[in-house]
Amino acid sequence: MTGSPAEVKLVSNAMANITRRKIMAMLVEKSRTREEIAGSVGPSMLDYHLQMLQQAGLVQAKDDSLYLSDFGKNFMETKSEKPAEIKRDLSGTKPLEVVEIRQLLPCIADSTKFRTIARLEPALAGALRLLEPLFPRARYSDKLGALLIQKGNKLITIYSGGNVTMTMVGGQSDACETLEEIRNTINEAISRGITPVPREKVKVDHAEIYEYLPKTNCQACAEQSCYAFAIKLVGRETALDRCTPLLESRYATNLEHIRSLLEYL
Ligand code: SF4
């Protein structure tokens, strides 16, 4: 997952229930049939629980078997990671290598683009938060223990444990190029051995926000058009949640991008 608020909410809702946590724990060991799961957690509302886990992208089904998706495995690994120790400078940080690009799934918003899970090693752990100034649009999230980088249409999330997720990737070579570029930027800072100085963030304008709105001009937000809504949003005269169509699953990636862009107003 990318760590967007919409996805975090789906995952935290899925994991907020003890039965679903039990199912996840069972699937960490190996894939299971529906009957095996029902035998352990009981048949009551099993379809609903499985649906919640699948919607959050944690579990997948094939024939009669249920198993953890790559994201689900990644999530369960992350849960067992210890909190990263906070570092004050980059000394002792080793250069990064891209060791794996694990998964390419179609994006919800644009089926011609993909979501990718990759891995950078060694894990940056407590040094990660120091890297925020290296990128014109990046922010460190304490909640996620991750650095979120906005690069064109892509949202790249680097976790302190080394896992990386990317949205709106054009394909395998695009994923490789993007990761290499990020790795080189970080390695350059590491080789200089200095802690990056905070720099001014690139500001966001309404045209950029407009690109991610549904563009239906439905007026559910009480504005005349999506463009008018974008102008008011940038001027802080309205709130993002007034655009209710954005809450539909097909706009999940758009919502994620707008929320990320709003950080740079
Ligand atoms: S509710 Fe959303 S989609 Fe509808 S006009 Fe407003 S901004 Fe556009």
Side-chain angles (χ1 to χ4, degrees):
M1 86 154 190
T2 62
S4 75
E7 286 181 336
V8 169
K9 197 170 173 190
L10 271 180
V11 173
S12 62
N13 284 347
M15 294 301 287
N17 176 280
I18 190 162
T19 303
R20 295 196 284 272
R21 289 199 294 276
K22 272 191 197 165
I23 296 172
M24 288 296 284
M26 284 180 77
L27 296 178
V28 164
E29 295 163 15
K30 59 175 189 173
S31 65
R32 309 273 182 170
T33 64
R34 203 178 173 288
E35 285 65 36
E36 282 178 304
I37 295 173
S40 174
V41 301
S44 170
M45 294 179 71
L46 186 57
D47 283 341
Y48 171 73
H49 291 312
L50 293 175
Q51 195 185 6
M52 288 287 285
L53 292 170
Q54 286 180 265
Q55 273 177 357
L58 295 162
V59 166
Q60 288 177 324
K62 191 171 181 202
D63 303 326
D64 193 37
S65 270
L66 291 138
Y67 57 95
L68 290 189
S69 64
D70 281 355
F71 170 57
K73 287 180 200 158
N74 183 30
F75 176 80
M76 294 303 276
E77 276 169 27
T78 309
K79 285 267 120 194
S80 60
E81 280 173 8
K82 295 192 179 78
E85 177 198 346
I86 294 174
K87 288 193 72 171
R88 308 225 171 274
D89 58 47
L90 289 173
S91 58
T93 304
K94 296 203 172 77
L96 295 180
E97 285 302 325
V98 178
V99 295
E100 195 177 15
I101 296 183
R102 283 197 228 164
Q103 185 183 18
L104 287 169
L105 287 175
C107 267
I108 301 168
D110 180 347
S111 58
T112 65
K113 305 275 188 212
F114 299 90
R115 287 176 172 261
T116 301
I117 295 177
R119 187 154 179 87
L120 289 170
E121 284 187 1
L124 284 158
L128 193 58
R129 67 174 64 236
L130 301 175
L131 303 177
E132 187 187 277
L134 289 178
F135 303 94
R137 279 189 185 157
R139 69 190 160 90
Y140 182 80
S141 161
D142 280 307
K143 191 172 164 194
L144 296 173
L147 183 67
L148 287 85
I149 303 167
Q150 184 101 30
K151 209 166 187 310
N153 271 350
K154 297 186 189 82
L155 186 60
I156 301 126
T157 308
I158 305 178
Y159 293 88
S160 56
N163 289 326
V164 182
T165 60
M166 289 193 284
T167 63
M168 302 293 274
V169 177
Q172 186 83 11
S173 60
D174 186 26
C176 290
E177 273 170 33
T178 306
L179 274 173
E180 284 297 314
E181 215 177 299
I182 287 173
R183 184 200 69 142
N184 291 343
T185 304
I186 294 173
N187 282 352
E188 200 183 313
I190 290 173
S191 70
R192 279 188 275 123
I194 51 159
T195 301
V197 178
R199 66 182 183 199
E200 198 175 332
K201 306 276 182 193
V202 175
K203 293 284 182 197
V204 170
D205 66 18
H206 60 270
E208 210 171 344
I209 301 271
Y210 172 72
E211 282 308 309
Y212 293 99
L213 288 172
K215 297 183 185 153
T216 57
N217 300 325
C218 70
Q219 302 185 350
C221 57
E223 301 302 332
Q224 287 298 311
S225 64
C226 296
Y227 201 78
F229 181 76
I231 292 172
K232 289 217 172 165
L233 200 56
V234 170
R236 297 179 195 275
E237 295 170 56
T238 189
L240 184 59
D241 59 10
R242 299 195 71 171
C243 175
T244 47
L246 265 181
L247 301 176
E248 294 169 22
S249 60
R250 64 193 160 130
Y251 294 122
T253 306
N254 298 48
L255 181 61
E256 181 182 324
H257 278 273
I258 294 178
R259 283 198 167 127
S260 182
L261 287 171
L262 292 177
E263 296 285 330
Y264 307 111
L265 281 179

